[in-house]
Amino acid sequence: MTAVIEMVEKEFLEYVKKISAYGEALGLIYWDLRTGAPKKGVDQRSEVVGMLSGEVFTMSTSEEMATFITSLSSEEAKTALSQTTNKIVEECKKEYDRNKKIPAEEYKEFVVLQSKAESVWEDAREANDFAMFQPYLEKIVAYTRKFVDYWGYEDNPYNTLLDMYEPGMTVDVLDRVFSELRERIVPLVKAISESENKPETSFLFKKFPKEKQKEFSLEILKQLGYNFEAGRLDETVHPFATGINIGDVRITTRYDEHDFRGAVFGTIHECGHAIYEQNIAEELTGTLLDDGTSMGIHESQSLFFENFVGRNYSFWKKQYDLLKQYAPGQFDHVELDDFYRAINESKPSLIRVDSDELTYPLHIMIRYEIEKALFNHELEVKDLPEVWNKKYEEYLGITPENDAVGVLQDVHWSGGSFGYFPSYALGYMYAAQIKQAMIRDLPEFDQLLEAGNITPIKNWLNEKVHQFGKTKKPLEILETITGEGLNAKYLIQYLEEKYSSVYRLN
Amino acid sequence: MTAVIEMVEKEFLEYVKKISAYGEALGLIYWDLRTGAPKKGVDQRSEVVGMLSGEVFTMSTSEEMATFITSLSSEEAKTALSQTTNKIVEECKKEYDRNKKIPAEEYKEFVVLQSKAESVWEDAREANDFAMFQPYLEKIVAYTRKFVDYWGYEDNPYNTLLDMYEPGMTVDVLDRVFSELRERIVPLVKAISESENKPETSFLFKKFPKEKQKEFSLEILKQLGYNFEAGRLDETVHPFATGINIGDVRITTRYDEHDFRGAVFGTIHECGHAIYEQNIAEELTGTLLDDGTSMGIHESQSLFFENFVGRNYSFWKKQYDLLKQYAPGQFDHVELDDFYRAINESKPSLIRVDSDELTYPLHIMIRYEIEKALFNHELEVKDLPEVWNKKYEEYLGITPENDAVGVLQDVHWSGGSFGYFPSYALGYMYAAQIKQAMIRDLPEFDQLLEAGNITPIKNWLNEKVHQFGKTKKPLEILETITGEGLNAKYLIQYLEEKYSSVYRLN
């Protein structure tokens, strides 16, 4: 390596470390704001957030950054630099380009609009009044369409938005896998709704004291391999996981004393996210690569733990007795089989976040189709409620009685987060596909769960997925593990087998 | 105001706001590190602390700052600018001068030495081995002496160190008040130790469940006027209060199930600090003036609440029944008078932080005299243990059996914090003097406590002390309130009256 490149690399890495440090401070501030920061200090804290975010933005789009990128992107430099440095340059370039292509004035207007739109959306949902939100959403869509024009796109404008959350993902791929999914899930949902073997679920809703739910959650977290020396569990209205740094990945959960499922499965879900970030290679600290590689892969890890571990029969074969200890009396007369069927109940519902693992992908597909049509100018904002309701009838056989439980239910669009929803379903497909590959190495998967020995499963994921952070792209990870691209069939197989059994179909 | 000054002022205030924002982020990080940040993330978090502190240092000593100070310190500017801006300029200049006068290289060496010395001090105290710590302390003292030379001093080198924690305080003043205090407290301590009317205290140490202590502490905080919308209570080994911003002033406490006094009086003490910062004028946010004006005034507020409110007979006349509710059975057969005498027990002890309100100032005076001698080259580090032990015998009538409970007990010197200790005793004298002035306006002080109506007391302090933040100097505040300079007699009167009564002297 020439001395000059070496010197520039060193300076660049220091520069990136500073951006990363500001990001870490912001991470802690966000966690604190959501877990109990006193109300009266919030306005001033928002100023601090603005100041630090502004600094990150300035540093990411500075002349200095431009010079780093140019110097380190030459063929000579690329050959000389480590793979990691090349990857950091690539990430910085992507960010730089994205931010520089939008005129600063327009971006500022958009940021102001975003925060207004979000507060209007809240009121509109409260008032069940789409007309109130419509002009704001129209502006948000108009700005986003313009940004896509600035950014440019290949094949389909929506691809550019997908790429922000799932690098490399395209409409072509999604159209294919979603149509395969839809073809098999819709009839399955119908069969289930007509099944006469619905599980009994009333025992799920008896009082389960909050303190006991917490103790059980902590116990399960330990068993799953969540590292408490690198994390902590707190309580919030909306559960989340956040990696402040690799050694500090915190999760939160919520407790409903008359429905323990939220806490238990929510905790397991966030645990999956957290185990991902806790096990990213330490040397990626401070490089901006010490994060999940995409929304979809991140979600694959949370869903793997929530569904493939947490809703697995073998898992409860081991854990049911433990649960009984924490919920004295509640399950005394409930057989394991009945418990298992109850926690895997599926029925069409209107609200995405409350839906079950079988119907969940249908909620996502509806949003995907709407977003795709919006950015291909095949749909306008004013028609959203009608289209939304039609699609719910078509996919789930139910029609929202109003927009509050229909098109107004999600916060995402008010913030301009288009292209984000598909990640949720992608994560699910990735998870099923990864599981399939895992059992080639760990054919005793179910026996491990039965024995309460999650370590080999966790270690496998550490090795194949987690350690890489952002140094590998999502599809690169998937292909290396499974030997093929995205394939919906593993999720379909899993859902058909599982739900046929739970509902005793055929 | 000329347009140029106006423009420079605006830029300067923006610049200061940024320094303040970084300080706020640091404040939250420190709070988090002490209240439960996961162990594994601490090293990386320290990097972030280094980065942000470095930024604050760089901004405070930059060419840009120098230009701001010069432009805004002209007579023309001073006349044109608001009092607040003048004060900010003054603060920034003080900080700038202090930092710029020390050669950067030497300062760096000192920072490294500090952190080494602190860890050596920990080991030395553990091993009860002063010789181990001696060479480090010698270097710390040598550097500090050199720094004082760089900074310059008036009358006495130690004045420069005092001024860092208590602007305007001098050896002349301290010598006077401390000698007055000593003359009257030492005989009082002696009389008490010979008294045959010592309070019975065994009932203090019965089991008082932690949860109940916490509930009682929260109740008392509410009554004292701590604003929970601008703060929260957490648990730490070493209790503290920290103002992250004016709307977010957090406190912590600790719980000993066999001695509730630590939690209750510790909480009241930290509450005093917090009420100070919660009530600084909101417009000082982001100006670097939104903090207590000095260590001494800060301590006067915590001690006012801890001793003049929390250890007051009238206070317990109201609160004793409440305490009994939270500590079922513990005080059933204890009369209020006996309870009051027990919580005001005084006896000479070796450890400063465990001492009572009467003997506490003596611990401080010993440290003051040693520090003063060190910086006047009248004492060398090697002689500290001997001098320390002699003074404990002279002031308190007891001799440490070893250095671990003697000269090695405090962390301050290992970090080079010379000049800090006097603030603790100053705060105490300020508090007594302020109390004296307060009862001119609120002669019904004791009746207010008896009625559980603390609001007029708190409001009085808000108006006379808190609101000003750093816009007024400590002695300015004291003189405005009391019409005189520091005067030890009020504390002496208070202590003599109180302890004569508790120990039934004469």
PDB file of all heavy atoms in Angstrom, chain A residues 287-307:
ATOM      1  N   THR A 287     -17.155   1.595  12.994  1.00  0.00           N
ATOM      2  CA  THR A 287     -16.897   1.660  11.545  1.00  0.00           C
ATOM      3  C   THR A 287     -18.157   1.981  10.742  1.00  0.00           C
ATOM      4  O   THR A 287     -18.102   2.023   9.517  1.00  0.00           O
ATOM      5  CB  THR A 287     -16.379   0.302  11.017  1.00  0.00           C
ATOM      6  OG1 THR A 287     -17.424  -0.673  11.231  1.00  0.00           O
ATOM      7  CG2 THR A 287     -15.121  -0.129  11.729  1.00  0.00           C
ATOM      8  N   LEU A 288     -19.283   2.143  11.411  1.00  0.00           N
ATOM      9  CA  LEU A 288     -20.599   2.279  10.780  1.00  0.00           C
ATOM     10  C   LEU A 288     -21.082   0.956  10.191  1.00  0.00           C
ATOM     11  O   LEU A 288     -22.184   0.891   9.638  1.00  0.00           O
ATOM     12  CB  LEU A 288     -20.608   3.357   9.676  1.00  0.00           C
ATOM     13  CG  LEU A 288     -20.185   4.778  10.096  1.00  0.00           C
ATOM     14  CD1 LEU A 288     -20.179   5.709   8.876  1.00  0.00           C
ATOM     15  CD2 LEU A 288     -21.135   5.341  11.162  1.00  0.00           C
ATOM     16  N   LEU A 289     -20.277  -0.086  10.281  1.00  0.00           N
ATOM     17  CA  LEU A 289     -20.714  -1.403   9.782  1.00  0.00           C
ATOM     18  C   LEU A 289     -21.189  -2.300  10.919  1.00  0.00           C
ATOM     19  O   LEU A 289     -21.537  -3.454  10.697  1.00  0.00           O
ATOM     20  CB  LEU A 289     -19.570  -2.104   9.028  1.00  0.00           C
ATOM     21  CG  LEU A 289     -18.948  -1.335   7.853  1.00  0.00           C
ATOM     22  CD1 LEU A 289     -17.768  -2.125   7.276  1.00  0.00           C
ATOM     23  CD2 LEU A 289     -19.981  -1.078   6.763  1.00  0.00           C
ATOM     24  N   ASP A 290     -21.205  -1.745  12.126  1.00  0.00           N
ATOM     25  CA  ASP A 290     -21.574  -2.570  13.288  1.00  0.00           C
ATOM     26  C   ASP A 290     -23.072  -2.533  13.539  1.00  0.00           C
ATOM     27  O   ASP A 290     -23.543  -2.228  14.628  1.00  0.00           O
ATOM     28  CB  ASP A 290     -20.808  -2.113  14.539  1.00  0.00           C
ATOM     29  CG  ASP A 290     -21.005  -0.635  14.855  1.00  0.00           C
ATOM     30  OD1 ASP A 290     -21.474   0.107  13.971  1.00  0.00           O
ATOM     31  OD2 ASP A 290     -20.687  -0.233  15.979  1.00  0.00           O
ATOM     32  N   ASP A 291     -23.811  -2.910  12.509  1.00  0.00           N
ATOM     33  CA  ASP A 291     -25.261  -2.880  12.575  1.00  0.00           C
ATOM     34  C   ASP A 291     -25.778  -4.022  11.704  1.00  0.00           C
ATOM     35  O   ASP A 291     -25.025  -4.597  10.918  1.00  0.00           O
ATOM     36  CB  ASP A 291     -25.753  -1.520  12.029  1.00  0.00           C
ATOM     37  CG  ASP A 291     -27.172  -1.212  12.476  1.00  0.00           C
ATOM     38  OD1 ASP A 291     -27.822  -2.095  13.083  1.00  0.00           O
ATOM     39  OD2 ASP A 291     -27.641  -0.095  12.216  1.00  0.00           O
ATOM     40  N   GLY A 292     -27.081  -4.326  11.821  1.00  0.00           N
ATOM     41  CA  GLY A 292     -27.654  -5.334  10.948  1.00  0.00           C
ATOM     42  C   GLY A 292     -27.523  -4.909   9.499  1.00  0.00           C
ATOM     43  O   GLY A 292     -27.548  -3.718   9.197  1.00  0.00           O
ATOM     44  N   THR A 293     -27.409  -5.883   8.590  1.00  0.00           N
ATOM     45  CA  THR A 293     -27.127  -5.519   7.194  1.00  0.00           C
ATOM     46  C   THR A 293     -28.341  -4.951   6.480  1.00  0.00           C
ATOM     47  O   THR A 293     -28.202  -4.201   5.518  1.00  0.00           O
ATOM     48  CB  THR A 293     -26.546  -6.715   6.412  1.00  0.00           C
ATOM     49  OG1 THR A 293     -26.133  -6.261   5.126  1.00  0.00           O
ATOM     50  CG2 THR A 293     -27.584  -7.819   6.258  1.00  0.00           C
ATOM     51  N   SER A 294     -29.545  -5.293   6.920  1.00  0.00           N
ATOM     52  CA  SER A 294     -30.761  -4.749   6.308  1.00  0.00           C
ATOM     53  C   SER A 294     -31.911  -4.971   7.260  1.00  0.00           C
ATOM     54  O   SER A 294     -31.838  -5.780   8.180  1.00  0.00           O
ATOM     55  CB  SER A 294     -31.068  -5.457   4.984  1.00  0.00           C
ATOM     56  OG  SER A 294     -31.523  -6.774   5.236  1.00  0.00           O
ATOM     57  N   MET A 295     -33.001  -4.245   6.999  1.00  0.00           N
ATOM     58  CA  MET A 295     -34.228  -4.432   7.764  1.00  0.00           C
ATOM     59  C   MET A 295     -34.721  -5.869   7.679  1.00  0.00           C
ATOM     60  O   MET A 295     -35.194  -6.445   8.642  1.00  0.00           O
ATOM     61  CB  MET A 295     -35.320  -3.523   7.190  1.00  0.00           C
ATOM     62  CG  MET A 295     -35.187  -2.086   7.550  1.00  0.00           C
ATOM     63  SD  MET A 295     -35.422  -1.882   9.321  1.00  0.00           S
ATOM     64  CE  MET A 295     -36.938  -2.834   9.520  1.00  0.00           C
ATOM     65  N   GLY A 296     -34.628  -6.435   6.451  1.00  0.00           N
ATOM     66  CA  GLY A 296     -35.147  -7.790   6.241  1.00  0.00           C
ATOM     67  C   GLY A 296     -34.363  -8.830   7.011  1.00  0.00           C
ATOM     68  O   GLY A 296     -34.933  -9.713   7.653  1.00  0.00           O
ATOM     69  N   ILE A 297     -33.047  -8.746   6.942  1.00  0.00           N
ATOM     70  CA  ILE A 297     -32.228  -9.724   7.667  1.00  0.00           C
ATOM     71  C   ILE A 297     -32.411  -9.528   9.172  1.00  0.00           C
ATOM     72  O   ILE A 297     -32.481 -10.497   9.943  1.00  0.00           O
ATOM     73  CB  ILE A 297     -30.740  -9.607   7.270  1.00  0.00           C
ATOM     74  CG1 ILE A 297     -30.541  -9.983   5.797  1.00  0.00           C
ATOM     75  CG2 ILE A 297     -29.874 -10.508   8.145  1.00  0.00           C
ATOM     76  CD1 ILE A 297     -30.729 -11.446   5.454  1.00  0.00           C
ATOM     77  N   HIS A 298     -32.529  -8.287   9.583  1.00  0.00           N
ATOM     78  CA  HIS A 298     -32.773  -8.042  11.009  1.00  0.00           C
ATOM     79  C   HIS A 298     -34.066  -8.731  11.430  1.00  0.00           C
ATOM     80  O   HIS A 298     -34.132  -9.444  12.435  1.00  0.00           O
ATOM     81  CB  HIS A 298     -32.857  -6.537  11.286  1.00  0.00           C
ATOM     82  CG  HIS A 298     -31.995  -6.103  12.433  1.00  0.00           C
ATOM     83  ND1 HIS A 298     -32.061  -6.721  13.663  1.00  0.00           N
ATOM     84  CD2 HIS A 298     -31.050  -5.141  12.552  1.00  0.00           C
ATOM     85  CE1 HIS A 298     -31.174  -6.140  14.481  1.00  0.00           C
ATOM     86  NE2 HIS A 298     -30.546  -5.183  13.825  1.00  0.00           N
ATOM     87  N   GLU A 299     -35.102  -8.517  10.633  1.00  0.00           N
ATOM     88  CA  GLU A 299     -36.402  -9.095  10.962  1.00  0.00           C
ATOM     89  C   GLU A 299     -36.357 -10.626  10.873  1.00  0.00           C
ATOM     90  O   GLU A 299     -37.080 -11.311  11.600  1.00  0.00           O
ATOM     91  CB  GLU A 299     -37.455  -8.519  10.010  1.00  0.00           C
ATOM     92  CG  GLU A 299     -38.869  -8.595  10.493  1.00  0.00           C
ATOM     93  CD  GLU A 299     -39.175  -7.760  11.745  1.00  0.00           C
ATOM     94  OE1 GLU A 299     -38.397  -6.847  12.080  1.00  0.00           O
ATOM     95  OE2 GLU A 299     -40.201  -8.060  12.381  1.00  0.00           O
ATOM     96  N   SER A 300     -35.492 -11.147  10.008  1.00  0.00           N
ATOM     97  CA  SER A 300     -35.389 -12.617   9.931  1.00  0.00           C
ATOM     98  C   SER A 300     -34.916 -13.181  11.261  1.00  0.00           C
ATOM     99  O   SER A 300     -35.330 -14.264  11.677  1.00  0.00           O
ATOM    100  CB  SER A 300     -34.447 -13.042   8.804  1.00  0.00           C
ATOM    101  OG  SER A 300     -33.082 -12.908   9.195  1.00  0.00           O
ATOM    102  N   GLN A 301     -34.074 -12.456  11.954  1.00  0.00           N
ATOM    103  CA  GLN A 301     -33.539 -12.958  13.218  1.00  0.00           C
ATOM    104  C   GLN A 301     -34.578 -12.862  14.341  1.00  0.00           C
ATOM    105  O   GLN A 301     -34.714 -13.758  15.157  1.00  0.00           O
ATOM    106  CB  GLN A 301     -32.253 -12.210  13.587  1.00  0.00           C
ATOM    107  CG  GLN A 301     -31.156 -12.380  12.559  1.00  0.00           C
ATOM    108  CD  GLN A 301     -30.896 -13.847  12.233  1.00  0.00           C
ATOM    109  OE1 GLN A 301     -30.446 -14.629  13.076  1.00  0.00           O
ATOM    110  NE2 GLN A 301     -31.224 -14.254  11.013  1.00  0.00           N
ATOM    111  N   SER A 302     -35.325 -11.769  14.356  1.00  0.00           N
ATOM    112  CA  SER A 302     -36.363 -11.661  15.388  1.00  0.00           C
ATOM    113  C   SER A 302     -37.464 -12.679  15.143  1.00  0.00           C
ATOM    114  O   SER A 302     -37.960 -13.306  16.084  1.00  0.00           O
ATOM    115  CB  SER A 302     -36.929 -10.240  15.420  1.00  0.00           C
ATOM    116  OG  SER A 302     -37.356  -9.846  14.143  1.00  0.00           O
ATOM    117  N   LEU A 303     -37.828 -12.868  13.878  1.00  0.00           N
ATOM    118  CA  LEU A 303     -38.900 -13.815  13.575  1.00  0.00           C
ATOM    119  C   LEU A 303     -38.440 -15.253  13.740  1.00  0.00           C
ATOM    120  O   LEU A 303     -39.222 -16.121  14.123  1.00  0.00           O
ATOM    121  CB  LEU A 303     -39.436 -13.578  12.160  1.00  0.00           C
ATOM    122  CG  LEU A 303     -40.231 -12.272  12.007  1.00  0.00           C
ATOM    123  CD1 LEU A 303     -40.563 -12.009  10.533  1.00  0.00           C
ATOM    124  CD2 LEU A 303     -41.527 -12.320  12.821  1.00  0.00           C
ATOM    125  N   PHE A 304     -37.178 -15.502  13.454  1.00  0.00           N
ATOM    126  CA  PHE A 304     -36.647 -16.845  13.690  1.00  0.00           C
ATOM    127  C   PHE A 304     -36.856 -17.218  15.154  1.00  0.00           C
ATOM    128  O   PHE A 304     -37.361 -18.282  15.486  1.00  0.00           O
ATOM    129  CB  PHE A 304     -35.152 -16.902  13.344  1.00  0.00           C
ATOM    130  CG  PHE A 304     -34.594 -18.297  13.423  1.00  0.00           C
ATOM    131  CD1 PHE A 304     -34.539 -19.094  12.292  1.00  0.00           C
ATOM    132  CD2 PHE A 304     -34.160 -18.831  14.636  1.00  0.00           C
ATOM    133  CE1 PHE A 304     -34.047 -20.398  12.364  1.00  0.00           C
ATOM    134  CE2 PHE A 304     -33.688 -20.121  14.723  1.00  0.00           C
ATOM    135  CZ  PHE A 304     -33.621 -20.909  13.582  1.00  0.00           C
ATOM    136  N   PHE A 305     -36.460 -16.298  16.038  1.00  0.00           N
ATOM    137  CA  PHE A 305     -36.604 -16.599  17.458  1.00  0.00           C
ATOM    138  C   PHE A 305     -38.073 -16.630  17.871  1.00  0.00           C
ATOM    139  O   PHE A 305     -38.505 -17.521  18.578  1.00  0.00           O
ATOM    140  CB  PHE A 305     -35.796 -15.611  18.306  1.00  0.00           C
ATOM    141  CG  PHE A 305     -34.352 -16.021  18.425  1.00  0.00           C
ATOM    142  CD1 PHE A 305     -33.395 -15.566  17.521  1.00  0.00           C
ATOM    143  CD2 PHE A 305     -33.949 -16.907  19.420  1.00  0.00           C
ATOM    144  CE1 PHE A 305     -32.065 -15.964  17.619  1.00  0.00           C
ATOM    145  CE2 PHE A 305     -32.625 -17.306  19.524  1.00  0.00           C
ATOM    146  CZ  PHE A 305     -31.674 -16.834  18.621  1.00  0.00           C
ATOM    147  N   GLU A 306     -38.842 -15.657  17.410  1.00  0.00           N
ATOM    148  CA  GLU A 306     -40.242 -15.607  17.844  1.00  0.00           C
ATOM    149  C   GLU A 306     -41.028 -16.828  17.361  1.00  0.00           C
ATOM    150  O   GLU A 306     -41.698 -17.483  18.161  1.00  0.00           O
ATOM    151  CB  GLU A 306     -40.912 -14.319  17.318  1.00  0.00           C
ATOM    152  CG  GLU A 306     -42.366 -14.209  17.766  1.00  0.00           C
ATOM    153  CD  GLU A 306     -43.095 -13.000  17.184  1.00  0.00           C
ATOM    154  OE1 GLU A 306     -42.431 -12.116  16.629  1.00  0.00           O
ATOM    155  OE2 GLU A 306     -44.336 -12.972  17.303  1.00  0.00           O
ATOM    156  N   ASN A 307     -40.910 -17.135  16.066  1.00  0.00           N
ATOM    157  CA  ASN A 307     -41.782 -18.178  15.511  1.00  0.00           C
ATOM    158  C   ASN A 307     -41.140 -19.561  15.460  1.00  0.00           C
ATOM    159  O   ASN A 307     -41.732 -20.540  15.901  1.00  0.00           O
ATOM    160  CB  ASN A 307     -42.240 -17.774  14.112  1.00  0.00           C
ATOM    161  CG  ASN A 307     -43.161 -16.565  14.165  1.00  0.00           C
ATOM    162  OD1 ASN A 307     -43.834 -16.338  15.173  1.00  0.00           O
ATOM    163  ND2 ASN A 307     -43.182 -15.772  13.109  1.00  0.00           N
TER     164      ASN A 307
END
